[in-house]
């Protein structure tokens, strides 16, 4: 469903923070405005007060991903429903920027918000987009990167539900770490085997004397 596109709003906001690394990119009104990619009118509504409000919504959206990643579907849905109730939107039919071969509008669904502030508008679209993605593809398609300490949010759109990392970079880093861990384990086992063999040889030599 096209409305699932809006779920990227949720991912963008959640990933402005890396809790395990102590990093937070959401520190100014400019950072808030940068989240409104392509929607300059909504971005201009942002003020300094929205920085704190955006952080609050971010924590609630991350909680949805954490519940989904932990296998608690009911909690994920309940948390998302609370956001939907607090930040409602109005679906509208739109035809802007899309034309068929005859120049007629290609009608599609669009989410129109009527917010009191920039945070309310962004939260409404992010929550609705995430809700459509969840119901269309399943709760298990909401994940957190397994490449510690990353834990960035991602939406799994793979055909076999196999995604585990937020990016190719994290996947490569995790694979390299796993390879090195296996090599250390193999080296440790080889060392123990060699030591055991040496001990056996010494014991045998002592018995012969």
């Amino acid at each position: 469903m096209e409305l699932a596109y809006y779920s990227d709003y949720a991912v963008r906001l959640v990933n402005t923070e890396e809790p395990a690394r102590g990093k937070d990119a959401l520190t100014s009104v400019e950072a808030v405005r940068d989240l409104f990619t392509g929607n300059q009118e909504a971005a201009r509504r942002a003020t300094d007060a929205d920085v704190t409000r955006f952080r609050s919504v971010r924590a609630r959206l991350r909680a949805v991903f954490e519940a989904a990643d932990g296998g608690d579907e009911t909690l994920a849905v309940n948390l998302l429903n609370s956001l939907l109730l607090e930040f409602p939107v109005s679906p509208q039919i739109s035809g802007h920027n899309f034309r068929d071969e005859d120049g007629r509008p290609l009608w599609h669904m669009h989410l129109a918000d009527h917010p009191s502030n920039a945070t309310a508008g962004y939260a409404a679209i992010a929550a609705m987009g995430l809700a459509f993605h969840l119901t269309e593809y399943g709760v298990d398609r909401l994940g957190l990167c397994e490449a510690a300490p990353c834990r960035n949010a991602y939406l799994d759109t793979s055909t076999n539900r196999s995604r585990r990392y937020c990016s190719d970079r994290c996947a490569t880093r995790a694979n390299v770490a796993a390879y090195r861990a296996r090599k250390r384990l193999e080296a440790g086992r080889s060392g123990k085997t060699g030591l055991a063999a040496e001990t056996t040889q010494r014991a045998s030599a002592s018995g012969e004397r």
Side-chain angles (χ1 to χ4, degrees):
M1 180 178 290
E2 188 172 342
L3 288 178
Y5 154 79
Y6 291 107
S7 57
D8 287 338
Y9 276 61
V11 173
R12 284 203 301 272
L13 177 53
V14 170
N15 290 346
T16 59
E17 182 184 28
E18 296 182 71
R21 291 191 173 109
K23 295 182 178 181
D24 189 346
L26 199 57
T27 58
S28 66
V29 67
E30 287 76 17
V32 169
R33 288 170 179 160
D34 286 344
L35 291 168
F36 291 91
T37 57
N39 191 342
Q40 295 304 312
E41 182 180 351
R44 284 193 292 269
R45 288 200 300 260
T47 67
D48 289 332
D50 284 298
V51 176
T52 300
R53 289 194 287 254
F54 260 70
R55 286 178 173 178
S56 176
V57 172
R58 180 180 64 187
R60 294 171 66 182
L61 286 170
R62 175 170 282 277
V64 174
F65 278 93
E66 289 175 342
D69 188 66
D72 194 336
E73 295 191 15
T74 301
L75 178 59
V77 169
N78 288 341
L79 291 171
L80 192 50
N81 273 336
S82 69
L83 284 164
L84 292 169
L85 287 171
E86 186 173 346
F87 303 106
V89 295
S90 300
Q92 293 182 348
I93 300 173
S94 176
H96 62 83
N97 299 331
F98 297 97
R99 301 281 173 174
D100 63 17
E101 294 179 354
D102 297 323
R104 294 175 301 185
L106 293 176
W107 302 112
H108 62 280
M109 293 301 297
H110 175 77
L111 297 182
D113 61 279
H114 308 283
S116 56
N117 54 65
T119 303
Y122 192 98
I125 292 174
M128 182 61 76
L130 201 57
F132 274 109
H133 194 96
L134 184 152
T135 54
E136 183 78 1
Y137 302 109
V139 178
D140 58 340
R141 293 295 188 132
L142 279 59
L144 293 173
C145 186
E146 293 185 13
C150 177
R151 303 301 284 167
N152 271 351
Y154 66 83
L155 299 170
D156 185 0
T157 56
S158 64
T159 56
N160 57 355
R161 300 174 183 263
S162 60
R163 186 170 178 179
R164 298 167 55 199
Y165 307 104
C166 69
S167 64
D168 291 339
R169 180 181 179 182
C170 275
T172 299
R173 183 162 55 85
N175 289 334
V176 169
Y179 173 78
R180 290 175 177 171
R182 287 196 301 271
K183 286 298 183 182
R184 286 194 297 269
L185 181 60
E186 290 171 2
R189 287 174 177 172
S190 297
K192 290 180 179 179
T193 301
L195 181 61
E198 184 179 346
T199 301
T200 300
Q201 287 177 349
R202 288 178 180 175
S204 177
S206 297
E208 291 175 356
R209 287 197 297 267

PDB file of all heavy atoms in Angstrom, residues 104-134:
ATOM      1  N   ARG A 104      -3.747  13.043 -17.385  1.00  0.00           N
ATOM      2  CA  ARG A 104      -4.735  13.043 -16.310  1.00  0.00           C
ATOM      3  C   ARG A 104      -4.058  12.671 -14.984  1.00  0.00           C
ATOM      4  O   ARG A 104      -3.089  11.920 -14.973  1.00  0.00           O
ATOM      5  CB  ARG A 104      -5.856  12.056 -16.619  1.00  0.00           C
ATOM      6  CG  ARG A 104      -6.693  12.438 -17.835  1.00  0.00           C
ATOM      7  CD  ARG A 104      -7.702  11.360 -18.165  1.00  0.00           C
ATOM      8  NE  ARG A 104      -7.039  10.082 -18.440  1.00  0.00           N
ATOM      9  CZ  ARG A 104      -7.659   8.988 -18.853  1.00  0.00           C
ATOM     10  NH1 ARG A 104      -8.971   8.996 -19.026  1.00  0.00           N
ATOM     11  NH2 ARG A 104      -6.974   7.887 -19.092  1.00  0.00           N
ATOM     12  N   PRO A 105      -4.585  13.162 -13.867  1.00  0.00           N
ATOM     13  CA  PRO A 105      -3.980  12.851 -12.566  1.00  0.00           C
ATOM     14  C   PRO A 105      -4.059  11.362 -12.260  1.00  0.00           C
ATOM     15  O   PRO A 105      -5.056  10.695 -12.573  1.00  0.00           O
ATOM     16  CB  PRO A 105      -4.839  13.643 -11.577  1.00  0.00           C
ATOM     17  CG  PRO A 105      -5.497  14.708 -12.395  1.00  0.00           C
ATOM     18  CD  PRO A 105      -5.712  14.095 -13.751  1.00  0.00           C
ATOM     19  N   LEU A 106      -2.997  10.832 -11.675  1.00  0.00           N
ATOM     20  CA  LEU A 106      -3.005   9.470 -11.144  1.00  0.00           C
ATOM     21  C   LEU A 106      -3.351   9.589  -9.667  1.00  0.00           C
ATOM     22  O   LEU A 106      -2.522   9.924  -8.834  1.00  0.00           O
ATOM     23  CB  LEU A 106      -1.627   8.811 -11.334  1.00  0.00           C
ATOM     24  CG  LEU A 106      -1.211   8.535 -12.775  1.00  0.00           C
ATOM     25  CD1 LEU A 106       0.204   7.982 -12.821  1.00  0.00           C
ATOM     26  CD2 LEU A 106      -2.180   7.538 -13.412  1.00  0.00           C
ATOM     27  N   TRP A 107      -4.614   9.337  -9.382  1.00  0.00           N
ATOM     28  CA  TRP A 107      -5.088   9.557  -8.019  1.00  0.00           C
ATOM     29  C   TRP A 107      -4.463   8.567  -7.039  1.00  0.00           C
ATOM     30  O   TRP A 107      -4.307   7.399  -7.339  1.00  0.00           O
ATOM     31  CB  TRP A 107      -6.618   9.449  -7.987  1.00  0.00           C
ATOM     32  CG  TRP A 107      -7.308  10.403  -8.897  1.00  0.00           C
ATOM     33  CD1 TRP A 107      -8.007  10.088 -10.024  1.00  0.00           C
ATOM     34  CD2 TRP A 107      -7.339  11.819  -8.787  1.00  0.00           C
ATOM     35  NE1 TRP A 107      -8.492  11.226 -10.623  1.00  0.00           N
ATOM     36  CE2 TRP A 107      -8.092  12.303  -9.883  1.00  0.00           C
ATOM     37  CE3 TRP A 107      -6.819  12.730  -7.865  1.00  0.00           C
ATOM     38  CZ2 TRP A 107      -8.333  13.660 -10.081  1.00  0.00           C
ATOM     39  CZ3 TRP A 107      -7.046  14.092  -8.064  1.00  0.00           C
ATOM     40  CH2 TRP A 107      -7.790  14.538  -9.156  1.00  0.00           C
ATOM     41  N   HIS A 108      -4.132   9.066  -5.872  1.00  0.00           N
ATOM     42  CA  HIS A 108      -3.557   8.228  -4.822  1.00  0.00           C
ATOM     43  C   HIS A 108      -3.942   8.812  -3.465  1.00  0.00           C
ATOM     44  O   HIS A 108      -4.389   9.967  -3.376  1.00  0.00           O
ATOM     45  CB  HIS A 108      -2.028   8.151  -4.953  1.00  0.00           C
ATOM     46  CG  HIS A 108      -1.350   9.479  -4.807  1.00  0.00           C
ATOM     47  ND1 HIS A 108      -1.275  10.388  -5.838  1.00  0.00           N
ATOM     48  CD2 HIS A 108      -0.726  10.054  -3.756  1.00  0.00           C
ATOM     49  CE1 HIS A 108      -0.626  11.470  -5.435  1.00  0.00           C
ATOM     50  NE2 HIS A 108      -0.288  11.302  -4.165  1.00  0.00           N
ATOM     51  N   MET A 109      -3.751   8.006  -2.422  1.00  0.00           N
ATOM     52  CA  MET A 109      -4.076   8.463  -1.076  1.00  0.00           C
ATOM     53  C   MET A 109      -2.929   9.288  -0.512  1.00  0.00           C
ATOM     54  O   MET A 109      -1.757   8.973  -0.685  1.00  0.00           O
ATOM     55  CB  MET A 109      -4.369   7.276  -0.166  1.00  0.00           C
ATOM     56  CG  MET A 109      -5.635   6.514  -0.519  1.00  0.00           C
ATOM     57  SD  MET A 109      -7.116   7.572  -0.473  1.00  0.00           S
ATOM     58  CE  MET A 109      -7.157   8.031   1.261  1.00  0.00           C
ATOM     59  N   HIS A 110      -3.303  10.354   0.167  1.00  0.00           N
ATOM     60  CA  HIS A 110      -2.347  11.276   0.757  1.00  0.00           C
ATOM     61  C   HIS A 110      -2.795  11.564   2.187  1.00  0.00           C
ATOM     62  O   HIS A 110      -3.995  11.626   2.464  1.00  0.00           O
ATOM     63  CB  HIS A 110      -2.302  12.564  -0.073  1.00  0.00           C
ATOM     64  CG  HIS A 110      -1.439  13.632   0.508  1.00  0.00           C
ATOM     65  ND1 HIS A 110      -0.066  13.610   0.433  1.00  0.00           N
ATOM     66  CD2 HIS A 110      -1.771  14.771   1.184  1.00  0.00           C
ATOM     67  CE1 HIS A 110       0.426  14.686   1.025  1.00  0.00           C
ATOM     68  NE2 HIS A 110      -0.582  15.402   1.487  1.00  0.00           N
ATOM     69  N   LEU A 111      -1.844  11.731   3.093  1.00  0.00           N
ATOM     70  CA  LEU A 111      -2.167  12.042   4.479  1.00  0.00           C
ATOM     71  C   LEU A 111      -2.038  13.534   4.705  1.00  0.00           C
ATOM     72  O   LEU A 111      -0.958  14.108   4.561  1.00  0.00           O
ATOM     73  CB  LEU A 111      -1.238  11.293   5.445  1.00  0.00           C
ATOM     74  CG  LEU A 111      -1.319   9.773   5.412  1.00  0.00           C
ATOM     75  CD1 LEU A 111      -0.385   9.175   6.453  1.00  0.00           C
ATOM     76  CD2 LEU A 111      -2.752   9.293   5.659  1.00  0.00           C
ATOM     77  N   ALA A 112      -3.136  14.173   5.039  1.00  0.00           N
ATOM     78  CA  ALA A 112      -3.130  15.604   5.337  1.00  0.00           C
ATOM     79  C   ALA A 112      -3.261  15.781   6.843  1.00  0.00           C
ATOM     80  O   ALA A 112      -4.154  15.210   7.470  1.00  0.00           O
ATOM     81  CB  ALA A 112      -4.280  16.299   4.621  1.00  0.00           C
ATOM     82  N   ASP A 113      -2.347  16.544   7.420  1.00  0.00           N
ATOM     83  CA  ASP A 113      -2.408  16.766   8.862  1.00  0.00           C
ATOM     84  C   ASP A 113      -2.884  18.189   9.136  1.00  0.00           C
ATOM     85  O   ASP A 113      -2.724  19.094   8.318  1.00  0.00           O
ATOM     86  CB  ASP A 113      -1.031  16.548   9.496  1.00  0.00           C
ATOM     87  CG  ASP A 113       0.006  17.511   8.956  1.00  0.00           C
ATOM     88  OD1 ASP A 113       0.539  17.248   7.860  1.00  0.00           O
ATOM     89  OD2 ASP A 113       0.270  18.524   9.629  1.00  0.00           O
ATOM     90  N   HIS A 114      -3.467  18.383  10.290  1.00  0.00           N
ATOM     91  CA  HIS A 114      -3.935  19.699  10.717  1.00  0.00           C
ATOM     92  C   HIS A 114      -3.374  19.943  12.117  1.00  0.00           C
ATOM     93  O   HIS A 114      -4.101  19.952  13.106  1.00  0.00           O
ATOM     94  CB  HIS A 114      -5.464  19.750  10.724  1.00  0.00           C
ATOM     95  CG  HIS A 114      -6.068  19.289   9.430  1.00  0.00           C
ATOM     96  ND1 HIS A 114      -6.099  20.070   8.305  1.00  0.00           N
ATOM     97  CD2 HIS A 114      -6.632  18.109   9.083  1.00  0.00           C
ATOM     98  CE1 HIS A 114      -6.678  19.413   7.322  1.00  0.00           C
ATOM     99  NE2 HIS A 114      -7.005  18.215   7.764  1.00  0.00           N
ATOM    100  N   PRO A 115      -2.069  20.137  12.207  1.00  0.00           N
ATOM    101  CA  PRO A 115      -1.422  20.168  13.508  1.00  0.00           C
ATOM    102  C   PRO A 115      -1.425  21.540  14.176  1.00  0.00           C
ATOM    103  O   PRO A 115      -1.540  22.572  13.523  1.00  0.00           O
ATOM    104  CB  PRO A 115       0.004  19.761  13.173  1.00  0.00           C
ATOM    105  CG  PRO A 115       0.224  20.357  11.819  1.00  0.00           C
ATOM    106  CD  PRO A 115      -1.104  20.252  11.123  1.00  0.00           C
ATOM    107  N   SER A 116      -1.263  21.505  15.479  1.00  0.00           N
ATOM    108  CA  SER A 116      -1.097  22.746  16.223  1.00  0.00           C
ATOM    109  C   SER A 116       0.363  23.154  16.248  1.00  0.00           C
ATOM    110  O   SER A 116       0.687  24.300  16.544  1.00  0.00           O
ATOM    111  CB  SER A 116      -1.607  22.566  17.657  1.00  0.00           C
ATOM    112  OG  SER A 116      -0.942  21.474  18.282  1.00  0.00           O
ATOM    113  N   ASN A 117       1.251  22.206  15.937  1.00  0.00           N
ATOM    114  CA  ASN A 117       2.682  22.506  15.876  1.00  0.00           C
ATOM    115  C   ASN A 117       3.363  21.477  14.966  1.00  0.00           C
ATOM    116  O   ASN A 117       2.747  20.517  14.529  1.00  0.00           O
ATOM    117  CB  ASN A 117       3.309  22.490  17.282  1.00  0.00           C
ATOM    118  CG  ASN A 117       3.042  21.186  18.017  1.00  0.00           C
ATOM    119  OD1 ASN A 117       3.513  20.123  17.616  1.00  0.00           O
ATOM    120  ND2 ASN A 117       2.268  21.260  19.095  1.00  0.00           N
ATOM    121  N   ALA A 118       4.637  21.705  14.673  1.00  0.00           N
ATOM    122  CA  ALA A 118       5.363  20.839  13.748  1.00  0.00           C
ATOM    123  C   ALA A 118       5.460  19.408  14.254  1.00  0.00           C
ATOM    124  O   ALA A 118       5.388  18.456  13.472  1.00  0.00           O
ATOM    125  CB  ALA A 118       6.766  21.407  13.503  1.00  0.00           C
ATOM    126  N   THR A 119       5.619  19.242  15.551  1.00  0.00           N
ATOM    127  CA  THR A 119       5.738  17.895  16.121  1.00  0.00           C
ATOM    128  C   THR A 119       4.473  17.092  15.898  1.00  0.00           C
ATOM    129  O   THR A 119       4.529  15.917  15.505  1.00  0.00           O
ATOM    130  CB  THR A 119       6.031  17.960  17.636  1.00  0.00           C
ATOM    131  OG1 THR A 119       7.216  18.716  17.855  1.00  0.00           O
ATOM    132  CG2 THR A 119       6.209  16.568  18.213  1.00  0.00           C
ATOM    133  N   ALA A 120       3.323  17.708  16.128  1.00  0.00           N
ATOM    134  CA  ALA A 120       2.051  17.011  15.957  1.00  0.00           C
ATOM    135  C   ALA A 120       1.874  16.555  14.515  1.00  0.00           C
ATOM    136  O   ALA A 120       1.407  15.443  14.253  1.00  0.00           O
ATOM    137  CB  ALA A 120       0.904  17.918  16.376  1.00  0.00           C
ATOM    138  N   GLY A 121       2.258  17.420  13.567  1.00  0.00           N
ATOM    139  CA  GLY A 121       2.132  17.051  12.165  1.00  0.00           C
ATOM    140  C   GLY A 121       3.035  15.896  11.790  1.00  0.00           C
ATOM    141  O   GLY A 121       2.613  14.957  11.110  1.00  0.00           O
ATOM    142  N   TYR A 122       4.279  15.959  12.224  1.00  0.00           N
ATOM    143  CA  TYR A 122       5.234  14.897  11.889  1.00  0.00           C
ATOM    144  C   TYR A 122       4.839  13.588  12.575  1.00  0.00           C
ATOM    145  O   TYR A 122       4.865  12.520  11.951  1.00  0.00           O
ATOM    146  CB  TYR A 122       6.633  15.308  12.329  1.00  0.00           C
ATOM    147  CG  TYR A 122       7.726  14.423  11.775  1.00  0.00           C
ATOM    148  CD1 TYR A 122       8.434  14.822  10.645  1.00  0.00           C
ATOM    149  CD2 TYR A 122       8.047  13.205  12.362  1.00  0.00           C
ATOM    150  CE1 TYR A 122       9.438  14.020  10.110  1.00  0.00           C
ATOM    151  CE2 TYR A 122       9.037  12.393  11.841  1.00  0.00           C
ATOM    152  CZ  TYR A 122       9.742  12.805  10.723  1.00  0.00           C
ATOM    153  OH  TYR A 122      10.734  11.998  10.199  1.00  0.00           O
ATOM    154  N   ALA A 123       4.468  13.668  13.849  1.00  0.00           N
ATOM    155  CA  ALA A 123       4.098  12.462  14.598  1.00  0.00           C
ATOM    156  C   ALA A 123       2.888  11.775  13.988  1.00  0.00           C
ATOM    157  O   ALA A 123       2.819  10.543  13.931  1.00  0.00           O
ATOM    158  CB  ALA A 123       3.820  12.818  16.052  1.00  0.00           C
ATOM    159  N   ALA A 124       1.920  12.566  13.526  1.00  0.00           N
ATOM    160  CA  ALA A 124       0.715  11.995  12.926  1.00  0.00           C
ATOM    161  C   ALA A 124       1.049  11.188  11.680  1.00  0.00           C
ATOM    162  O   ALA A 124       0.578  10.057  11.498  1.00  0.00           O
ATOM    163  CB  ALA A 124      -0.268  13.117  12.583  1.00  0.00           C
ATOM    164  N   ILE A 125       1.886  11.762  10.809  1.00  0.00           N
ATOM    165  CA  ILE A 125       2.251  11.077   9.570  1.00  0.00           C
ATOM    166  C   ILE A 125       3.115   9.855   9.852  1.00  0.00           C
ATOM    167  O   ILE A 125       2.932   8.781   9.263  1.00  0.00           O
ATOM    168  CB  ILE A 125       2.979  12.051   8.634  1.00  0.00           C
ATOM    169  CG1 ILE A 125       1.991  13.117   8.145  1.00  0.00           C
ATOM    170  CG2 ILE A 125       3.587  11.326   7.447  1.00  0.00           C
ATOM    171  CD1 ILE A 125       2.634  14.218   7.323  1.00  0.00           C
ATOM    172  N   ALA A 126       4.081  10.002  10.784  1.00  0.00           N
ATOM    173  CA  ALA A 126       4.961   8.877  11.117  1.00  0.00           C
ATOM    174  C   ALA A 126       4.181   7.710  11.702  1.00  0.00           C
ATOM    175  O   ALA A 126       4.391   6.545  11.328  1.00  0.00           O
ATOM    176  CB  ALA A 126       6.037   9.337  12.101  1.00  0.00           C
ATOM    177  N   ALA A 127       3.270   7.995  12.628  1.00  0.00           N
ATOM    178  CA  ALA A 127       2.493   6.940  13.272  1.00  0.00           C
ATOM    179  C   ALA A 127       1.561   6.251  12.281  1.00  0.00           C
ATOM    180  O   ALA A 127       1.440   5.022  12.272  1.00  0.00           O
ATOM    181  CB  ALA A 127       1.690   7.516  14.444  1.00  0.00           C
ATOM    182  N   MET A 128       0.910   7.030  11.425  1.00  0.00           N
ATOM    183  CA  MET A 128      -0.007   6.437  10.454  1.00  0.00           C
ATOM    184  C   MET A 128       0.754   5.599   9.435  1.00  0.00           C
ATOM    185  O   MET A 128       0.333   4.497   9.068  1.00  0.00           O
ATOM    186  CB  MET A 128      -0.813   7.534   9.751  1.00  0.00           C
ATOM    187  CG  MET A 128      -1.834   7.005   8.757  1.00  0.00           C
ATOM    188  SD  MET A 128      -3.098   5.950   9.536  1.00  0.00           S
ATOM    189  CE  MET A 128      -4.121   7.185  10.340  1.00  0.00           C
ATOM    190  N   GLY A 129       1.890   6.108   8.970  1.00  0.00           N
ATOM    191  CA  GLY A 129       2.694   5.337   8.024  1.00  0.00           C
ATOM    192  C   GLY A 129       3.174   4.031   8.620  1.00  0.00           C
ATOM    193  O   GLY A 129       3.141   2.980   7.960  1.00  0.00           O
ATOM    194  N   LEU A 130       3.616   4.077   9.875  1.00  0.00           N
ATOM    195  CA  LEU A 130       4.074   2.866  10.543  1.00  0.00           C
ATOM    196  C   LEU A 130       2.918   1.896  10.749  1.00  0.00           C
ATOM    197  O   LEU A 130       3.089   0.670  10.635  1.00  0.00           O
ATOM    198  CB  LEU A 130       4.707   3.242  11.886  1.00  0.00           C
ATOM    199  CG  LEU A 130       5.671   2.235  12.508  1.00  0.00           C
ATOM    200  CD1 LEU A 130       6.815   1.908  11.571  1.00  0.00           C
ATOM    201  CD2 LEU A 130       6.206   2.779  13.830  1.00  0.00           C
ATOM    202  N   ALA A 131       1.739   2.423  11.028  1.00  0.00           N
ATOM    203  CA  ALA A 131       0.568   1.570  11.216  1.00  0.00           C
ATOM    204  C   ALA A 131       0.207   0.841   9.925  1.00  0.00           C
ATOM    205  O   ALA A 131      -0.114  -0.356   9.938  1.00  0.00           O
ATOM    206  CB  ALA A 131      -0.616   2.412  11.692  1.00  0.00           C
ATOM    207  N   PHE A 132       0.251   1.538   8.801  1.00  0.00           N
ATOM    208  CA  PHE A 132      -0.023   0.899   7.524  1.00  0.00           C
ATOM    209  C   PHE A 132       1.019  -0.164   7.207  1.00  0.00           C
ATOM    210  O   PHE A 132       0.688  -1.249   6.712  1.00  0.00           O
ATOM    211  CB  PHE A 132      -0.070   1.943   6.401  1.00  0.00           C
ATOM    212  CG  PHE A 132      -1.411   2.585   6.230  1.00  0.00           C
ATOM    213  CD1 PHE A 132      -1.613   3.910   6.586  1.00  0.00           C
ATOM    214  CD2 PHE A 132      -2.482   1.867   5.718  1.00  0.00           C
ATOM    215  CE1 PHE A 132      -2.861   4.506   6.439  1.00  0.00           C
ATOM    216  CE2 PHE A 132      -3.729   2.448   5.564  1.00  0.00           C
ATOM    217  CZ  PHE A 132      -3.913   3.777   5.926  1.00  0.00           C
ATOM    218  N   HIS A 133       2.289   0.138   7.486  1.00  0.00           N
ATOM    219  CA  HIS A 133       3.350  -0.840   7.219  1.00  0.00           C
ATOM    220  C   HIS A 133       3.164  -2.081   8.090  1.00  0.00           C
ATOM    221  O   HIS A 133       3.303  -3.211   7.617  1.00  0.00           O
ATOM    222  CB  HIS A 133       4.716  -0.211   7.504  1.00  0.00           C
ATOM    223  CG  HIS A 133       5.860  -1.006   6.960  1.00  0.00           C
ATOM    224  ND1 HIS A 133       6.446  -0.745   5.756  1.00  0.00           N
ATOM    225  CD2 HIS A 133       6.508  -2.098   7.461  1.00  0.00           C
ATOM    226  CE1 HIS A 133       7.420  -1.619   5.531  1.00  0.00           C
ATOM    227  NE2 HIS A 133       7.473  -2.446   6.549  1.00  0.00           N
ATOM    228  N   LEU A 134       2.827  -1.864   9.345  1.00  0.00           N
ATOM    229  CA  LEU A 134       2.644  -2.975  10.278  1.00  0.00           C
ATOM    230  C   LEU A 134       1.491  -3.879   9.847  1.00  0.00           C
ATOM    231  O   LEU A 134       1.621  -5.109   9.837  1.00  0.00           O
ATOM    232  CB  LEU A 134       2.415  -2.419  11.682  1.00  0.00           C
ATOM    233  CG  LEU A 134       2.291  -3.400  12.846  1.00  0.00           C
ATOM    234  CD1 LEU A 134       2.755  -2.730  14.152  1.00  0.00           C
ATOM    235  CD2 LEU A 134       0.851  -3.866  13.027  1.00  0.00           C
TER     236      LEU A 134
END
